[in-house]
Amino acid sequence: AQSVAQPEDQVNVAEGNPLTVKCTYSVSGNPYLFWYVQYPNRGLQFLLKYITGDNLVKGSYGFEAEFNKSQTSFHLKKPSALVSDSALYFCAVKGSARQLTFGSGTQLTVLP
Amino acid sequence: NAGVMQNPRHLVRRRGQEARLRCSPMKGHSHVYWYRQLPEEGLKFMVYLQKENIIDESGMPKERFSAEFPKEGPSILRIQQVVRGDSAAYFCASSFRDREYEQYFGPGTRLTVT
Protein backbone atom coordinates (compact mmCIF):
# COMPACT_ATOMS: atom_id res chain seq x y z
CA ALA A 1 0.00 0.00 0.00
CA GLN A 2 1.13 3.54 -0.60
CA SER A 3 0.17 6.61 1.40
CA VAL A 4 0.91 10.29 1.73
CA ALA A 5 0.64 12.53 4.75
CA GLN A 6 0.42 16.29 4.66
CA PRO A 7 0.46 17.10 8.37
CA GLU A 8 -0.63 20.72 8.03
CA ASP A 9 -4.10 21.61 6.79
CA GLN A 10 -3.16 25.28 6.67
CA VAL A 11 0.09 27.19 6.29
CA ASN A 12 0.26 30.96 6.58
CA VAL A 13 3.31 32.94 5.57
CA ALA A 14 4.07 36.60 4.98
CA GLU A 15 4.83 37.76 1.46
CA GLY A 16 8.56 37.70 0.80
CA ASN A 17 9.26 35.10 3.46
CA PRO A 18 10.33 31.55 2.66
CA LEU A 19 7.62 28.91 2.66
CA THR A 20 7.62 25.18 3.34
CA VAL A 21 4.76 22.76 2.81
CA LYS A 22 5.42 19.37 4.34
CA CYS A 23 4.87 15.93 2.89
CA THR A 24 5.84 12.45 4.02
CA TYR A 25 5.13 9.23 2.21
CA SER A 26 5.09 5.47 2.43
CA VAL A 27 5.46 3.19 -0.59
CA SER A 28 6.68 -0.20 -1.70
CA GLY A 29 9.65 0.13 -3.99
CA ASN A 30 11.18 3.31 -5.29
CA PRO A 31 8.94 6.33 -4.98
CA TYR A 32 7.87 8.73 -7.65
CA LEU A 33 6.86 11.95 -5.91
CA PHE A 34 4.84 14.90 -7.16
CA TRP A 35 3.52 18.28 -6.13
CA TYR A 36 0.40 19.78 -7.65
CA VAL A 37 -1.35 23.08 -7.02
CA GLN A 38 -5.07 23.73 -7.24
CA TYR A 39 -6.67 27.15 -7.43
CA PRO A 40 -10.33 27.56 -6.46
CA ASN A 41 -12.68 25.72 -8.81
CA ARG A 42 -9.80 24.78 -11.06
CA GLY A 43 -8.02 21.58 -12.01
CA LEU A 44 -4.64 20.41 -10.86
CA GLN A 45 -1.54 22.11 -12.11
CA PHE A 46 1.68 20.16 -12.07
CA LEU A 47 4.52 21.84 -10.16
CA LEU A 48 7.35 19.33 -10.03
CA LYS A 49 8.26 15.70 -9.70
CA TYR A 50 11.02 13.49 -8.36
CA ILE A 51 11.74 10.32 -10.32
CA THR A 52 15.44 9.74 -9.78
CA GLY A 53 18.66 11.72 -9.61
CA ASP A 54 19.30 14.87 -7.62
CA ASN A 55 17.43 15.07 -4.37
CA LEU A 56 16.65 18.75 -4.94
CA VAL A 57 14.07 19.17 -7.66
CA LYS A 58 13.24 22.52 -9.21
CA GLY A 59 9.83 23.15 -10.66
CA SER A 60 7.45 25.79 -11.92
CA TYR A 61 6.97 29.28 -10.47
CA GLY A 62 10.15 29.15 -8.40
CA PHE A 63 9.12 26.15 -6.33
CA GLU A 64 11.48 23.38 -5.38
CA ALA A 65 11.28 20.23 -3.30
CA GLU A 66 13.82 18.09 -1.53
CA PHE A 67 13.61 14.32 -1.56
CA ASN A 68 14.85 12.83 1.70
CA LYS A 69 14.89 9.07 1.57
CA SER A 70 15.84 8.47 5.19
CA GLN A 71 13.01 10.67 6.44
CA THR A 72 10.63 9.61 3.64
CA SER A 73 9.82 13.23 3.03
CA PHE A 74 9.35 15.47 0.03
CA HIS A 75 8.77 18.98 1.37
CA LEU A 76 7.84 21.78 -1.01
CA LYS A 77 9.76 25.04 -0.64
CA LYS A 78 10.03 28.49 -2.10
CA PRO A 79 12.59 31.09 -1.03
CA SER A 80 10.25 34.08 -1.29
CA ALA A 81 6.47 33.69 -1.21
CA LEU A 82 4.07 35.71 -3.35
CA VAL A 83 0.44 36.51 -2.58
CA SER A 84 -0.42 34.76 -5.85
CA ASP A 85 1.03 31.51 -4.44
CA SER A 86 -2.02 31.24 -2.18
CA ALA A 87 -3.74 28.02 -3.20
CA LEU A 88 -4.28 24.38 -2.23
CA TYR A 89 -1.20 22.19 -2.58
CA PHE A 90 -1.24 18.43 -2.98
CA CYS A 91 1.60 16.01 -2.59
CA ALA A 92 1.27 12.69 -4.44
CA VAL A 93 3.24 9.47 -4.58
CA LYS A 94 3.45 6.52 -6.89
CA GLY A 95 5.21 3.33 -5.89
CA SER A 96 4.64 -0.06 -7.41
CA ALA A 97 0.93 0.68 -7.79
CA ARG A 98 -0.19 2.18 -11.07
CA GLN A 99 -2.17 5.07 -9.67
CA LEU A 100 -1.11 8.16 -7.78
CA THR A 101 -2.03 8.47 -4.14
CA PHE A 102 -2.67 12.02 -3.01
CA GLY A 103 -2.36 13.69 0.35
CA SER A 104 -5.29 15.55 1.82
CA GLY A 105 -3.91 18.91 0.77
CA THR A 106 -2.45 21.97 2.48
CA GLN A 107 -4.05 25.37 2.08
CA LEU A 108 -1.31 27.95 1.68
CA THR A 109 -2.15 31.55 2.43
CA VAL A 110 0.42 34.23 1.70
CA LEU A 111 -0.34 37.40 3.58
CA PRO A 112 0.52 40.77 2.02
CA ASN B 1 -1.14 20.55 -28.60
CA ALA B 2 -4.32 20.03 -26.61
CA GLY B 3 -4.06 18.67 -23.13
CA VAL B 4 -6.49 16.36 -21.42
CA MET B 5 -10.02 17.52 -22.11
CA GLN B 6 -13.03 16.89 -19.95
CA ASN B 7 -16.65 17.76 -20.51
CA PRO B 8 -18.87 19.01 -19.27
CA ARG B 9 -16.99 21.23 -16.84
CA HIS B 10 -20.06 21.53 -14.65
CA LEU B 11 -22.95 19.09 -14.45
CA VAL B 12 -26.08 19.35 -12.34
CA ARG B 13 -28.25 16.31 -11.86
CA ARG B 14 -31.25 15.56 -9.69
CA ARG B 15 -31.18 12.56 -7.40
CA GLY B 16 -31.92 9.39 -9.34
CA GLN B 17 -30.71 10.69 -12.70
CA GLU B 18 -27.67 9.46 -14.59
CA ALA B 19 -24.43 11.40 -14.98
CA ARG B 20 -22.02 10.88 -17.86
CA LEU B 21 -18.58 12.43 -17.67
CA ARG B 22 -16.27 12.44 -20.66
CA CYS B 23 -12.50 12.51 -20.92
CA SER B 24 -10.36 12.82 -24.02
CA PRO B 25 -6.73 11.98 -23.28
CA MET B 26 -3.75 13.84 -24.58
CA LYS B 27 -2.70 12.96 -28.09
CA GLY B 28 -0.69 9.76 -28.11
CA HIS B 29 -1.77 8.71 -24.62
CA SER B 30 -3.34 5.29 -24.42
CA HIS B 31 -4.10 5.12 -20.70
CA VAL B 32 -6.72 6.99 -18.72
CA TYR B 33 -7.24 7.36 -14.98
CA TRP B 34 -10.26 8.70 -13.12
CA TYR B 35 -9.97 10.34 -9.70
CA ARG B 36 -12.64 11.83 -7.45
CA GLN B 37 -12.22 14.80 -5.16
CA LEU B 38 -14.85 15.14 -2.48
CA PRO B 39 -15.26 18.58 -0.88
CA GLU B 40 -12.38 19.46 1.43
CA GLU B 41 -10.49 16.28 0.52
CA GLY B 42 -7.66 15.15 -1.70
CA LEU B 43 -8.06 13.16 -4.88
CA LYS B 44 -8.90 9.48 -4.61
CA PHE B 45 -8.16 7.00 -7.36
CA MET B 46 -11.17 5.34 -8.94
CA VAL B 47 -10.26 3.42 -12.09
CA TYR B 48 -7.48 2.94 -14.64
CA LEU B 49 -8.26 2.03 -18.23
CA GLN B 50 -6.64 1.45 -21.56
CA LYS B 51 -8.54 1.21 -24.81
CA GLU B 52 -11.29 -1.42 -24.48
CA ASN B 53 -9.90 -2.72 -21.19
CA ILE B 54 -10.20 -1.91 -17.51
CA ILE B 55 -6.81 -2.42 -15.89
CA ASP B 56 -7.61 -1.54 -12.29
CA GLU B 57 -10.97 -0.57 -10.83
CA SER B 58 -10.09 -1.07 -7.18
CA GLY B 59 -11.19 2.45 -6.29
CA MET B 60 -14.59 2.32 -7.92
CA PRO B 61 -17.72 2.01 -5.79
CA LYS B 62 -19.24 -1.42 -6.36
CA GLU B 63 -22.64 -0.13 -7.40
CA ARG B 64 -23.90 2.55 -9.79
CA PHE B 65 -20.45 3.49 -11.12
CA SER B 66 -18.94 2.24 -14.36
CA ALA B 67 -16.21 3.36 -16.74
CA GLU B 68 -15.24 2.59 -20.27
CA PHE B 69 -12.63 3.64 -22.80
CA PRO B 70 -13.81 2.49 -26.21
CA LYS B 71 -11.65 1.97 -29.23
CA GLU B 72 -12.97 5.21 -30.68
CA GLY B 73 -13.99 8.24 -28.70
CA PRO B 74 -13.49 9.51 -25.18
CA SER B 75 -13.43 7.64 -21.92
CA ILE B 76 -16.76 7.78 -20.12
CA LEU B 77 -17.39 7.67 -16.39
CA ARG B 78 -21.02 6.82 -15.80
CA ILE B 79 -22.88 7.22 -12.55
CA GLN B 80 -26.37 5.78 -12.41
CA GLN B 81 -29.08 6.91 -10.00
CA VAL B 82 -26.96 9.69 -8.54
CA VAL B 83 -27.22 10.59 -4.87
CA ARG B 84 -26.16 13.74 -3.03
CA GLY B 85 -22.97 12.04 -1.87
CA ASP B 86 -21.82 11.76 -5.48
CA SER B 87 -21.39 15.54 -5.61
CA ALA B 88 -17.68 16.02 -6.19
CA ALA B 89 -15.07 17.03 -8.71
CA TYR B 90 -14.11 14.22 -11.03
CA PHE B 91 -10.68 14.44 -12.62
CA CYS B 92 -9.33 12.48 -15.50
CA ALA B 93 -5.64 11.96 -16.20
CA SER B 94 -3.85 10.29 -19.07
CA SER B 95 -0.41 8.84 -19.75
CA PHE B 96 1.65 6.92 -22.23
CA ARG B 97 1.53 3.16 -21.81
CA ASP B 98 4.98 2.84 -20.24
CA ARG B 99 4.95 6.09 -18.28
CA GLU B 100 2.31 5.65 -15.63
CA TYR B 101 4.28 7.96 -13.37
CA GLU B 102 3.72 10.87 -15.75
CA GLN B 103 0.01 11.57 -15.60
CA TYR B 104 -1.45 14.73 -17.05
CA PHE B 105 -4.68 15.97 -15.52
CA GLY B 106 -7.72 17.50 -17.11
CA PRO B 107 -9.62 20.48 -15.66
CA GLY B 108 -12.20 18.26 -14.01
CA THR B 109 -15.98 17.97 -14.07
CA ARG B 110 -17.83 19.33 -11.09
CA LEU B 111 -20.92 17.27 -10.45
CA THR B 112 -23.65 18.69 -8.28
CA VAL B 113 -26.55 16.49 -7.28
CA THR B 114 -29.62 18.37 -6.13
Side-chain angles (χ1 to χ4, degrees), chain B residues 8-24:
Chain B
R9 294 293 304 277
H10 300 274
L11 181 61
V12 180
R13 284 287 178 265
R14 291 197 180 98
R15 279 178 296 172
Q17 291 185 319
E18 179 179 286
R20 281 184 178 241
L21 289 63
R22 295 175 190 78
C23 170
S24 296

Side-chain angles (χ1 to χ4, degrees), chain B residues 12-42:
Chain B
V12 180
R13 284 287 178 265
R14 291 197 180 98
R15 279 178 296 172
Q17 291 185 319
E18 179 179 286
R20 281 184 178 241
L21 289 63
R22 295 175 190 78
C23 170
S24 296
M26 282 183 70
K27 187 176 181 180
H29 285 187
S30 58
H31 287 56
V32 164
Y33 313 75
W34 285 94
Y35 293 84
R36 177 167 65 176
Q37 184 181 28
L38 294 170
E40 309 298 326
E41 293 187 17

Side-chain angles (χ1 to χ4, degrees), chain A residues 32 34 36 38 41-44 49 51 90 94 98-100 102-104, chain B residues 33 35 37 41-43 45 48 55-56 91 100-103 105 107 110:
Chain A
Y32 299 119
F34 308 84
Y36 290 87
Q38 185 178 36
N41 298 314
R42 301 283 293 277
L44 292 178
K49 67 175 183 261
I51 304 297
F90 289 101
K94 180 188 174 318
R98 289 190 160 103
Q99 71 270 22
L100 300 181
F102 285 81
S104 54
Chain B
Y33 313 75
Y35 293 84
Q37 184 181 28
E41 293 187 17
L43 280 73
F45 167 76
Y48 172 32
I55 300 173
D56 182 349
F91 290 95
E100 295 167 345
Y101 58 85
E102 202 163 281
Q103 298 178 23
F105 282 81
R110 276 167 177 78

Side-chain angles (χ1 to χ4, degrees), chain A residues 18-34:
Chain A
L19 70 86
T20 299
V21 183
K22 295 179 181 176
C23 171
T24 58
Y25 67 90
S26 174
V27 292
S28 301
N30 292 323
Y32 299 119
L33 294 154
F34 308 84

Side-chain angles (χ1 to χ4, degrees), chain A residues 48-105:
Chain A
L48 52 78
K49 67 175 183 261
Y50 171 82
I51 304 297
T52 187
D54 288 341
N55 290 344
L56 184 64
V57 179
K58 294 189 183 296
S60 306
Y61 313 118
F63 284 93
E64 58 189 28
E66 186 166 11
F67 170 61
N68 187 318
K69 187 173 183 178
S70 62
Q71 296 185 7
T72 62
S73 66
F74 190 57
H75 301 330
L76 181 70
K77 300 182 179 184
K78 186 172 182 180
S80 179
L82 300 172
V83 172
S84 58
D85 292 330
S86 298
L88 187 57
Y89 290 80
F90 289 101
C91 180
V93 67
K94 180 188 174 318
S96 55
R98 289 190 160 103
Q99 71 270 22
L100 300 181
T101 297
F102 285 81
S104 54

